[in-house]
Amino acid sequence: MAHWVSGEVAGLKRWTERLYSLQLHADIAPFRAGQFTRLALEIEGEMVGRPYSFINGPADPLHEFYFIVVPGGPLTARLIRLQPGDGIFVAPRAAGFFVLDEVPDADTLWMLSTGTALGPFLSILTTHELWQRYRQVVLVHAVRTADELTYRDRIQAALAAHAGQLQYVPFVSREAVPHALQGRVTAALESGALEARVGLPLTAEHSQVMICGNPAMVSDTQAVLEARGLKKNRRREPGQITTEQYWKT
Ligand SMILES: Cc1cc2nc3c(=O)[nH]c(=O)nc-3n(C[C@H](O)[C@H](O)[C@H](O)COP(=O)(O)OP(=O)(O)OC[C@H]3O[C@@H](n4cnc5c(N)ncnc54)[C@H](O)[C@@H]3O)c2cc1C
Ligand SMILES: NC(=O)c1ccc[n+]([C@@H]2O[C@H](COP(=O)([O-])OP(=O)(O)OC[C@H]3O[C@@H](n4cnc5c(N)ncnc54)[C@H](OP(=O)(O)O)[C@@H]3O)[C@@H](O)[C@H]2O)c1
């Protein structure tokens, strides 16, 4: 199997100064919703590749990735200069275990994300399995400012298609926004504000929780949940918490 497949950029959408979505075509192996692949460009004679979660559903042949420009980051600075028709390298096979196959059944699936880690959940929202296995689904997107609450059209479409089964809870931490909860997910879990907003209990008995994004948020949220009796989900010892971190602290 070749190390990289040659893909072709189909589009680049700019949401804010730092947030972008990249669409591309590439002949790669099928993936599972929640997985990531690696995208790479040749930069000064070296192949620079990084992992990115698929945003599109597995059935959609147009691949999409949602990323933030990291100051001083070699790849993201180049990704934002891409234009339709440009070449980009893509790993031939997806990877990762942040997928529903790894999450036990429950009444409610809580999907907690910060920033660009909304992405894998958008992919999972497209699967039939999600709606068959969980009676209630809660999608949380935590960002700093209101303009970072992206993909509202796609989320609205999912809310309309799954009325009564899906709830969307935006969190904005650095400004007051009428429809969003203010502050951090961790604080809202500790105070009960998140459960009050959705009208569902987050307990070990009834819930599974997937957490993705900022590593500090992932580990702090895990600690809050562990304090109320939830456990990390492991293949040999199923629990309730499944996590993926986007970078190392
Ligand atoms: C499993 C996995 C999936 C990922 N999926 C995505 C995704 O869908 N979208 C996305 O934007 N990023 C994602 N990332 C991060 C991504 O792989 C790159 O690290 C990031 O885009 C920066 O690349 P870079 O070459 O510009 O800088 P790098 O050299 O990779 O990073 C420089 C530094 O920036 C910090 N950093 C890295 N990623 C982020 C980030 N997302 N937000 C804030 N700080 C960061 C780290 O401290 C890192 O050391 C994922 C990472 C992992 C491990
Ligand atoms: N978005 C920007 O304009 C910006 C600018 C410069 C650098 N960056 C860098 O880019 C990276 C990703 O940025 P991002 O925009 O995705 O934002 P982020 O820093 O990951 O924050 C996203 C959300 O997660 C919350 N959060 C952070 N740490 C948490 C924790 N330990 N527990 C609970 N919630 C937590 C934030 O709350 P708080 O607001 O309370 O932290 C915010 O609501 C970060 O490394 C950041 O340093 C981003």
Side-chain angles (χ1 to χ4, degrees), residues 36 50-53 66-68 70 73-76 116 244-248:
F36 60 88
R50 302 278 186 263
Y52 293 94
S53 303
Y66 178 40
F67 67 94
I68 186 164
V70 172
L75 188 61
T76 51
T116 54
E244 181 156 271
Q245 304 194 351
Y246 267 9
W247 68 95
K248 301 248 185 303

Side-chain angles (χ1 to χ4, degrees), residues 18-19 68-71 114-116 142-145 148 171-174 183-187 213-218 220-221 247:
R18 292 168 51 84
L19 291 173
I68 186 164
V69 182
V70 172
T114 60
T116 54
V143 297
R144 297 176 176 195
T145 54
E148 296 172 345
F171 273 77
V172 178
S173 52
R174 301 195 185 186
R184 290 181 162 194
V185 171
T186 39
N214 182 317
M217 176 275 197
V218 172
D220 290 355
T221 304
W247 68 95

